[in-house]
Amino acid sequence: MTQSSEIVTIVSRDGKEFRVNENAIKISSVFSNLLELHKEEEDNLENCRIPIVNVEGNILEKIIRYCEYHYQNKGTDNHEFIDDEDIDEWDLNLIMDLEKEKENGHRDILEVAIAADYLNIPKLFNICAKHLARKIRSYDAEKIIKYFYIPKQEETANIN
């Protein structure tokens, strides 16, 4: 007997709410564990609200879109480390769209990678990390610092 899935609400750091199928977000072990904890406390997920305080809404939206696509098109069982040749066309388009959305799109790719790592979505993390690594492969240290907006040491000293 198949258990029907429920809709849960995920809330980003900036208060944006996303209603999503519980099975779609189980790609993330963090979401999956939070859902299990909620189920232990309540019989259903009707009022389940999962706060993700480390991720902004625009980034969480991309991650949820990723989860929903892979749930609807492939299930939740194929999310391990991948080789370059294995990158799904949809995944590649997601990354390219992030990069083209605004002038500093690579910053969003970095934020998605950080959030994917935090939420334990290894395939998404690897796709983002590989894309960024390919971009900076030929950069010198100064260009990498500018690319990722890393503060210079003297700027960091002034902050402390």
Side-chain angles (χ1 to χ4, degrees):
M1 183 167 137
T2 327
Q3 191 176 26
S4 65
S5 60
E6 296 184 55
I7 301 297
V8 297
T9 302
I10 300 174
V11 184
S12 68
R13 173 182 16 211
D14 53 352
K16 291 184 181 172
E17 295 187 2
F18 304 91
R19 294 185 44 76
V20 100
N21 178 309
E22 69 168 301
N23 291 326
I25 60 172
K26 285 184 179 178
I27 290 171
S28 160
S29 63
V30 171
F31 283 139
S32 188
N33 290 338
L34 290 170
L35 288 170
E36 289 306 313
L37 286 172
H38 188 81
K39 283 182 180 179
E40 287 176 9
E41 295 172 8
E42 309 238 353
D43 291 337
N44 61 45
L45 296 173
E46 184 179 332
N47 297 316
C48 181
R49 292 174 54 82
I50 300 173
I52 303 298
V53 297
N54 294 342
V55 182
E56 293 290 334
N58 65 320
I59 301 301
L60 192 55
E61 179 181 5
K62 309 294 192 255
I63 290 173
I64 290 170
R65 188 169 57 168
Y66 173 89
C67 293
E68 287 176 333
Y69 172 82
H70 282 282
Y71 172 69
Q72 292 168 0
N73 292 282
K74 298 181 182 151
T76 59
D77 57 348
N78 187 23
H79 298 283
E80 297 302 316
F81 185 80
I82 58 169
D83 293 326
D84 286 347
E85 301 84 45
D86 297 335
I87 295 178
D88 182 294
E89 185 177 342
W90 189 92
D91 294 338
L92 185 59
N93 288 336
L94 175 70
I95 297 303
M96 300 314 281
D97 288 347
L98 278 169
E99 191 166 62
K100 292 175 185 172
E101 273 181 15
K102 53 188 177 184
E103 185 179 333
N104 299 317
H106 62 278
R107 185 76 173 171
D108 280 354
I109 296 170
L110 179 61
E111 291 297 323
V112 169
I114 292 167
D117 184 48
Y118 169 71
L119 295 169
N120 196 14
I121 308 173
K123 184 178 176 187
L124 180 57
F125 172 80
N126 289 329
I127 291 166
C128 293
K130 284 183 178 194
H131 179 79
L132 292 170
R134 270 191 231 94
K135 285 293 219 182
I136 66 169
R137 186 179 330 189
S138 63
Y139 290 6
D140 62 17
E142 189 63 33
K143 196 165 182 180
I144 291 171
I145 288 169
K146 287 179 182 175
Y147 188 78
F148 289 116
Y149 305 103
I150 300 169
K152 293 182 180 180
Q153 287 184 345
E154 55 271 10
E155 291 175 15
T156 308
N158 291 336
I159 295 171
N160 296 330

